[in-house]
Amino acid sequence: MSGHLCVVGLGPGDARWRTPEADAALARAEALYGYGPYLDRVPAREGQARHPSGNREEGARAAAALRHVAQGAHVALVSGGDPGVFAMAAAVCAEIEAGPQSWRSLEVAIVPGISAMLAVAARVGAPLGGDFCAISLSDNLKPWELIEQRLAAAAGAGFVIALYNPVSQARPWQLGAALDVLRQQLPAETPVVFGRAVGRPDESVAVKRLDAAEPTGADMATLVIVGSSHTRTIARPGRAPLVYTPRAVEKVSA
Amino acid sequence: MSGHLCVVGLGPGDARWRTPEADAALARAEALYGYGPYLDRVPAREGQARHPSGNREEGARAAAALRHVAQGAHVALVSGGDPGVFAMAAAVCAEIEAGPQSWRSLEVAIVPGISAMLAVAARVGAPLGGDFCAISLSDNLKPWELIEQRLAAAAGAGFVIALYNPVSQARPWQLGAALDVLRQQLPAETPVVFGRAVGRPDESVAVKRLDAAEPTGADMATLVIVGSSHTRTIARPGRAPLVYTPRAVEKVSA
């Protein structure tokens, strides 16, 4: 009796972005764990138990999956996007570190997925074409002061910035405050991409200038990409503009 | 006669990491363009022309693909990993911006893929579990001084750092210099992950401490992840250690 935990990245909403490795891992599992709306994206299979949970219960969900694996089960724990980017893989590692010593002997595999920033970037061109960073705006898990420091450091050093978890009902002001920090560092015309529900039927994508970017353009399903001073917008007749960051930087930015 | 360009991310080496959307785009194309070894990973299809090129010819390759599309062809331009991360999507945008006005009317789509940092991270746990950045060490495209500034800024602000293009025959010293910059900012025990050829039969993954990380651990096929001061290593009996960065940061780092 040897259990197995697979932490599976489903990618963003569209099933055509789910890898064959993820499909195989889901098909093999006896039990599925995950945030309810993510589990709903997995095709049903007879005899496979489903254990949905709420979106603020990552640690408890990871621990429940590990307990099940310790009993010998083959378990898939699903994550939206990529499990390693602000998602379940770190929660599983933290529970293994904090849990019983026997959990360190369990077999654990991570199946990568398309992270939201890659999908949003693909919709508009190549905004992540230069050096870039990813910052979660959730101050449930770290002090807001640290988030502001990181935003300022990243913009000052010329990184394009992908903002995960920009807004939630409990965190209504953080995106506005983040954009204020970035406006102190970046030109007014810097492109800002709001990608909402990308890959789902209700997808919407908008490109704004930083001086006109409103935090109301984002909700819980939105990923925001803020360009660097090198990021460019190409107008196209009859088509949405392309947004891209050149790979080449000729001179050191201010 | 209406052409179409699809910039397709193949993901890292393993075909099980290639999405159904990528497979569909490759199957539809009349002509394939790409760096030779990436094209070799695409299953052959009768009647589909192949145009391999060298790995330093991104701009010329993108322009050739666009010229073909302007003639009405359905073209797929392949990229390893994700096309938006240090790859072909930015080169295509740059050629559209610099090229004839008519190219701005062409239909262009980007198909995202699993980027190398996600695959390498998945192999060891969740090193990218907190805020992180991606930096290309190639100073063919930007001044080395800027790369050093970004490394210092990112490490100082607590980002985990994924290093793309760490080494090439023409750039033998850059990774060593980058590790020296990082040693000035980060604790000696900071985990450094070397993921080489991940997803291919010759895959190898090694985890070192920053004070013992040697640039000889990397080659052109390697992606390097340098942890933050919060990144942890969990020893496991009979298994490789897990490396992860907790999502939560309790206090502001130095």
Side-chain angles (χ1 to χ4, degrees), chain B residues 127-188:
Chain B
L128 306 177
D131 298 329
F132 65 92
C133 67
I135 299 177
S136 169
L137 285 193
S138 171
D139 56 356
N140 298 327
L141 293 166
K142 61 194 174 209
W144 180 253
E145 178 193 4
L146 177 62
I147 296 173
E148 288 204 344
Q149 285 174 11
R150 289 181 178 172
L151 290 165
F159 289 94
V160 173
I161 301 173
L163 297 174
Y164 282 75
N165 306 315
V167 173
S168 77
Q169 283 193 318
R171 295 183 293 100
W173 56 263
Q174 282 80 348
L175 177 58
L179 292 171
D180 286 342
V181 170
L182 297 173
R183 285 187 191 105
Q184 292 170 27
Q185 303 269 347
L186 293 167

XYZ file of all heavy atoms in Angstrom, chain B residues 127-188:
466
model
N 9.941 26.244 -5.258
C 10.856 27.368 -4.980
C 10.278 28.721 -5.390
O 10.665 29.741 -4.834
C 12.106 27.017 -5.801
C 11.635 26.068 -6.847
C 10.519 25.290 -6.212
N 9.356 28.745 -6.353
C 8.753 30.007 -6.795
C 7.476 30.329 -6.008
O 6.639 31.096 -6.462
C 8.430 29.956 -8.296
C 9.577 29.587 -9.246
C 9.079 29.516 -10.693
C 10.721 30.581 -9.147
N 7.323 29.738 -4.832
C 6.076 29.874 -4.081
C 5.793 31.266 -3.553
O 4.653 31.594 -3.236
N 6.804 32.114 -3.435
C 6.598 33.514 -3.045
C 6.755 34.419 -4.251
O 6.701 33.969 -5.393
N 6.955 35.715 -4.022
C 7.204 36.626 -5.135
C 8.524 36.235 -5.800
O 9.493 35.863 -5.125
C 7.281 38.063 -4.618
C 5.963 38.525 -3.984
O 4.901 38.064 -4.427
O 6.024 39.341 -3.058
N 8.564 36.318 -7.113
C 9.770 35.878 -7.824
C 9.958 36.706 -9.090
O 9.054 37.420 -9.527
C 9.690 34.388 -8.169
C 8.599 34.035 -9.141
C 8.835 34.002 -10.515
C 7.325 33.744 -8.690
C 7.828 33.683 -11.415
C 6.300 33.433 -9.584
C 6.557 33.393 -10.943
N 11.148 36.581 -9.670
C 11.407 37.267 -10.935
C 12.177 36.349 -11.861
O 12.710 35.319 -11.449
C 12.174 38.564 -10.702
S 13.840 38.318 -10.111
N 12.187 36.721 -13.124
C 12.920 35.986 -14.156
C 13.852 36.976 -14.843
O 13.421 38.043 -15.280
C 11.948 35.381 -15.162
N 15.121 36.612 -14.911
C 16.152 37.472 -15.494
C 16.930 36.651 -16.516
O 17.376 35.543 -16.210
C 17.121 37.988 -14.403
C 16.369 38.822 -13.367
C 18.273 38.785 -15.016
C 17.246 39.313 -12.204
N 17.093 37.182 -17.719
C 17.976 36.543 -18.686
C 19.388 37.052 -18.459
O 19.612 38.263 -18.386
C 17.539 36.858 -20.118
O 18.560 36.438 -21.026
N 20.333 36.126 -18.336
C 21.729 36.531 -18.136
C 22.438 36.840 -19.446
O 23.642 37.105 -19.440
C 22.500 35.449 -17.378
C 22.226 35.330 -15.879
C 23.294 34.440 -15.234
C 22.217 36.686 -15.193
N 21.726 36.814 -20.549
C 22.401 37.107 -21.820
C 22.689 38.595 -21.928
O 21.781 39.423 -21.951
C 21.530 36.678 -22.993
O 22.114 37.167 -24.190
N 23.963 38.929 -22.011
C 24.320 40.330 -22.225
C 24.568 40.607 -23.704
O 25.156 41.624 -24.062
C 25.514 40.752 -21.360
C 26.730 39.872 -21.566
O 26.644 38.887 -22.324
O 27.770 40.177 -20.966
N 24.093 39.721 -24.569
C 24.030 40.081 -25.987
C 22.993 41.183 -26.197
O 23.092 41.965 -27.127
C 23.610 38.880 -26.853
C 24.614 37.754 -26.768
O 25.794 37.989 -26.635
N 24.119 36.527 -26.825
N 21.975 41.200 -25.358
C 20.814 42.060 -25.601
C 20.688 43.222 -24.621
O 19.842 44.086 -24.793
C 19.534 41.210 -25.568
C 19.412 40.197 -26.704
C 18.313 39.188 -26.426
C 19.132 40.906 -28.026
N 21.458 43.205 -23.570
C 21.416 44.347 -22.632
C 22.755 44.423 -21.921
O 23.473 43.421 -21.830
C 20.239 44.209 -21.660
C 20.289 42.979 -20.788
C 18.966 42.679 -20.081
C 19.098 41.355 -19.357
N 17.883 40.601 -19.183
N 23.097 45.604 -21.386
C 24.419 45.772 -20.767
C 24.546 44.923 -19.502
O 23.581 44.795 -18.731
C 24.465 47.265 -20.412
C 23.279 47.900 -21.063
C 22.297 46.820 -21.363
N 25.726 44.369 -19.283
C 25.952 43.560 -18.083
C 25.714 44.366 -16.813
O 25.181 43.849 -15.825
C 27.361 42.964 -18.088
C 27.582 42.149 -16.858
C 28.355 42.461 -15.783
C 26.952 40.893 -16.537
N 28.253 41.491 -14.805
C 27.403 40.521 -15.263
C 26.055 40.071 -17.219
C 26.969 39.336 -14.644
C 25.630 38.890 -16.595
C 26.089 38.544 -15.331
N 26.066 45.644 -16.844
C 25.833 46.527 -15.693
C 24.349 46.511 -15.269
O 24.025 46.499 -14.080
C 26.246 47.947 -16.102
C 26.033 49.009 -15.042
C 26.168 50.427 -15.627
O 26.361 50.577 -16.866
O 26.054 51.386 -14.839
N 23.454 46.514 -16.246
C 22.026 46.497 -15.948
C 21.626 45.162 -15.318
O 20.823 45.116 -14.367
C 21.227 46.739 -17.226
C 19.701 46.683 -17.101
C 19.193 47.762 -16.150
C 19.045 46.838 -18.471
N 22.192 44.072 -15.832
C 21.884 42.755 -15.272
C 22.312 42.703 -13.800
O 21.559 42.241 -12.936
C 22.568 41.645 -16.106
C 21.992 41.646 -17.532
C 22.401 40.285 -15.442
C 22.712 40.706 -18.500
N 23.499 43.214 -13.506
C 23.962 43.207 -12.105
C 23.051 44.063 -11.222
O 22.742 43.687 -10.090
C 25.412 43.697 -12.018
C 26.399 42.677 -12.563
C 27.810 42.860 -11.983
O 28.083 43.934 -11.410
O 28.615 41.905 -12.102
N 22.617 45.209 -11.730
C 21.693 46.060 -10.961
C 20.397 45.312 -10.652
O 19.861 45.391 -9.547
C 21.336 47.331 -11.745
C 22.435 48.378 -11.801
C 22.042 49.541 -12.717
O 20.890 49.659 -13.141
N 23.010 50.386 -13.035
N 19.884 44.618 -11.668
C 18.619 43.898 -11.459
C 18.780 42.746 -10.480
O 17.899 42.497 -9.644
C 18.062 43.419 -12.805
C 17.540 44.580 -13.633
C 16.953 44.155 -14.960
N 16.428 45.328 -15.659
C 15.988 45.337 -16.908
N 15.983 44.214 -17.630
N 15.534 46.452 -17.442
N 19.884 42.017 -10.586
C 20.138 40.921 -9.641
C 20.172 41.456 -8.213
O 19.541 40.892 -7.302
C 21.465 40.241 -9.970
C 21.500 39.408 -11.253
C 22.950 39.115 -11.651
C 20.736 38.105 -11.068
N 20.902 42.540 -8.018
C 21.029 43.093 -6.661
C 19.691 43.606 -6.156
O 19.326 43.392 -4.991
C 22.084 44.201 -6.654
N 18.950 44.293 -7.026
C 17.652 44.833 -6.617
C 16.691 43.700 -6.260
O 15.968 43.770 -5.256
C 17.061 45.697 -7.728
N 16.673 42.655 -7.071
C 15.733 41.554 -6.852
C 16.064 40.793 -5.578
O 15.184 40.497 -4.759
C 15.742 40.608 -8.055
N 17.346 40.479 -5.386
C 17.728 39.741 -4.175
C 17.494 40.610 -2.939
O 16.992 40.132 -1.914
C 19.184 39.297 -4.270
N 17.830 41.891 -3.037
C 17.660 42.781 -1.897
C 16.202 42.936 -1.486
O 15.888 43.116 -0.309
N 15.308 42.855 -2.457
C 13.883 43.030 -2.165
C 13.190 41.715 -1.812
O 11.989 41.696 -1.551
C 13.184 43.689 -3.353
N 13.929 40.596 -1.821
C 13.350 39.339 -1.362
C 12.698 38.494 -2.432
O 11.951 37.562 -2.128
N 12.987 38.798 -3.703
C 12.451 37.952 -4.769
C 13.286 36.681 -4.930
O 14.523 36.733 -4.889
C 12.504 38.690 -6.121
C 11.524 39.814 -6.257
C 11.888 41.124 -5.953
C 10.238 39.576 -6.700
C 10.985 42.167 -6.084
C 9.323 40.616 -6.834
C 9.698 41.924 -6.525
N 12.629 35.552 -5.136
C 13.305 34.385 -5.701
C 13.647 34.738 -7.150
O 12.921 35.495 -7.807
C 12.393 33.139 -5.638
C 13.002 31.953 -6.366
C 12.105 32.793 -4.176
N 14.760 34.226 -7.665
C 15.242 34.644 -8.983
C 15.423 33.423 -9.888
O 16.189 32.513 -9.560
C 16.582 35.388 -8.864
C 16.430 36.628 -7.962
C 17.106 35.796 -10.249
C 17.748 37.328 -7.642
N 14.725 33.410 -11.015
C 14.954 32.384 -12.049
C 15.887 32.977 -13.087
O 15.614 34.049 -13.635
C 13.631 31.976 -12.691
N 16.997 32.298 -13.335
C 17.998 32.777 -14.295
C 17.870 31.987 -15.596
O 18.147 30.786 -15.633
C 19.404 32.612 -13.729
C 19.714 33.415 -12.459
C 21.094 33.042 -11.918
C 19.631 34.909 -12.739
N 17.431 32.687 -16.651
C 17.383 32.091 -17.987
C 18.701 32.384 -18.708
O 19.370 33.365 -18.417
C 16.219 32.684 -18.791
C 14.860 32.110 -18.416
C 14.231 32.472 -17.234
C 14.215 31.194 -19.248
C 12.993 31.944 -16.891
C 12.967 30.664 -18.917
C 12.362 31.044 -17.735
O 11.136 30.511 -17.400
N 19.035 31.532 -19.677
C 20.250 31.718 -20.487
C 21.471 31.957 -19.603
O 22.210 32.919 -19.792
C 20.086 32.912 -21.449
C 18.843 32.810 -22.305
O 18.553 31.753 -22.853
N 18.094 33.891 -22.420
N 21.721 31.068 -18.635
C 22.786 31.362 -17.675
C 24.186 31.332 -18.298
O 25.059 32.050 -17.836
C 22.636 30.263 -16.616
C 21.964 29.140 -17.334
C 21.040 29.800 -18.319
N 24.347 30.506 -19.314
C 25.682 30.234 -19.854
C 25.547 29.948 -21.337
O 24.548 29.387 -21.784
C 26.287 28.970 -19.181
C 27.595 28.561 -19.845
C 26.522 29.192 -17.695
N 26.548 30.357 -22.121
C 26.682 29.832 -23.482
C 28.170 29.818 -23.804
O 28.985 30.310 -23.020
C 25.919 30.692 -24.494
O 26.634 31.882 -24.771
N 28.510 29.260 -24.940
C 29.940 29.223 -25.293
C 30.516 30.627 -25.376
O 31.656 30.864 -24.986
C 30.116 28.503 -26.630
C 29.999 26.996 -26.472
C 30.488 26.261 -27.703
O 30.202 26.686 -28.814
N 31.210 25.175 -27.503
N 29.704 31.566 -25.870
C 30.190 32.943 -26.006
C 30.071 33.723 -24.698
O 30.590 34.835 -24.593
C 29.403 33.660 -27.102
N 29.373 33.156 -23.687
C 29.168 33.870 -22.423
C 29.532 32.950 -21.263
O 28.671 32.462 -20.536
C 27.703 34.324 -22.299
C 27.302 35.368 -23.350
C 25.871 35.853 -23.158
N 24.908 34.795 -23.430
C 24.291 34.062 -22.533
N 24.497 34.264 -21.253
N 23.453 33.131 -22.905
N 30.824 32.674 -21.091
C 31.225 31.666 -20.096
C 31.261 32.171 -18.653
O 31.146 31.372 -17.725
C 32.628 31.279 -20.560
C 33.146 32.519 -21.241
C 31.951 33.152 -21.897
N 31.422 33.508 -18.422
C 31.700 34.004 -17.059
C 30.485 34.621 -16.376
O 30.526 34.896 -15.169
C 32.837 35.036 -17.095
C 32.584 36.203 -18.016
C 33.030 36.336 -19.304
C 31.811 37.386 -17.734
N 32.584 37.522 -19.846
C 31.845 38.185 -18.905
C 31.102 37.843 -16.626
C 31.169 39.424 -18.991
C 30.434 39.068 -16.700
C 30.476 39.848 -17.878
N 29.395 34.825 -17.112
C 28.308 35.627 -16.567
C 27.616 34.981 -15.357
O 27.255 35.672 -14.398
C 27.276 35.942 -17.667
C 27.710 37.051 -18.619
C 28.678 36.589 -19.703
O 29.225 35.486 -19.652
N 28.908 37.432 -20.689
N 27.415 33.659 -15.398
C 26.736 33.030 -14.270
C 27.579 33.138 -12.999
O 27.047 33.417 -11.912
C 26.409 31.564 -14.574
C 25.754 30.789 -13.423
C 24.447 31.439 -12.976
C 25.519 29.330 -13.821
N 28.877 32.943 -13.126
C 29.752 33.101 -11.956
C 29.669 34.504 -11.384
O 29.590 34.700 -10.159
N 29.678 35.488 -12.265
C 29.581 36.882 -11.807
C 28.224 37.135 -11.146
O 28.128 37.842 -10.132
C 29.794 37.828 -12.985
N 27.175 36.557 -11.706
C 25.829 36.735 -11.123
C 25.764 36.108 -9.728
O 25.219 36.709 -8.788
C 24.774 36.110 -12.041
N 26.317 34.915 -9.582
C 26.302 34.266 -8.261
C 27.103 35.091 -7.257
O 26.734 35.193 -6.082
C 26.839 32.830 -8.372
C 25.939 31.859 -9.160
C 26.662 30.526 -9.388
C 24.607 31.614 -8.428
N 28.195 35.712 -7.717
C 28.969 36.586 -6.812
C 28.123 37.767 -6.324
O 28.165 38.121 -5.145
C 30.223 37.104 -7.527
C 31.298 36.029 -7.670
O 31.237 35.016 -6.938
O 32.201 36.204 -8.512
N 27.365 38.372 -7.230
C 26.484 39.479 -6.831
C 25.473 38.981 -5.791
O 25.227 39.641 -4.766
C 25.736 40.052 -8.060
C 24.636 41.026 -7.627
C 26.713 40.734 -9.013
N 24.914 37.815 -6.045
C 23.867 37.305 -5.149
C 24.431 36.915 -3.788
O 23.750 37.053 -2.762
C 23.143 36.139 -5.820
C 22.397 36.554 -7.106
C 21.831 35.338 -7.826
C 21.290 37.563 -6.792
N 25.682 36.432 -3.755
C 26.299 36.067 -2.471
C 26.469 37.276 -1.565
O 26.555 37.148 -0.342
C 27.666 35.405 -2.706
C 27.555 33.984 -3.200
C 28.921 33.291 -3.265
N 28.760 32.044 -3.998
C 29.168 31.838 -5.245
N 29.814 32.793 -5.903
N 28.947 30.682 -5.831
N 26.542 38.464 -2.153
C 26.664 39.679 -1.333
C 25.326 40.044 -0.676
O 25.295 40.882 0.225
C 27.150 40.848 -2.189
C 28.588 40.679 -2.666
C 28.973 41.726 -3.710
O 28.420 42.817 -3.727
N 29.899 41.375 -4.580
N 24.225 39.465 -1.178
C 22.898 39.859 -0.702
C 22.209 38.779 0.118
O 21.301 39.084 0.879
C 21.976 40.147 -1.913
C 22.494 41.198 -2.857
C 22.011 42.580 -2.484
O 21.114 42.723 -1.670
N 22.615 43.601 -3.063
N 22.590 37.529 -0.107
C 21.785 36.418 0.404
C 22.598 35.527 1.327
O 23.820 35.418 1.186
C 21.265 35.583 -0.776
C 20.245 36.285 -1.671
C 20.041 35.490 -2.966
C 18.913 36.444 -0.931
N 21.929 34.844 2.279
C 22.641 33.942 3.190
C 23.351 32.810 2.453
O 22.906 32.371 1.381
C 21.518 33.369 4.067
C 20.361 34.291 3.913
C 20.489 34.911 2.560
N 24.436 32.335 3.053
C 25.251 31.275 2.447
C 24.434 30.021 2.159
O 24.693 29.302 1.188
C 26.414 30.933 3.386
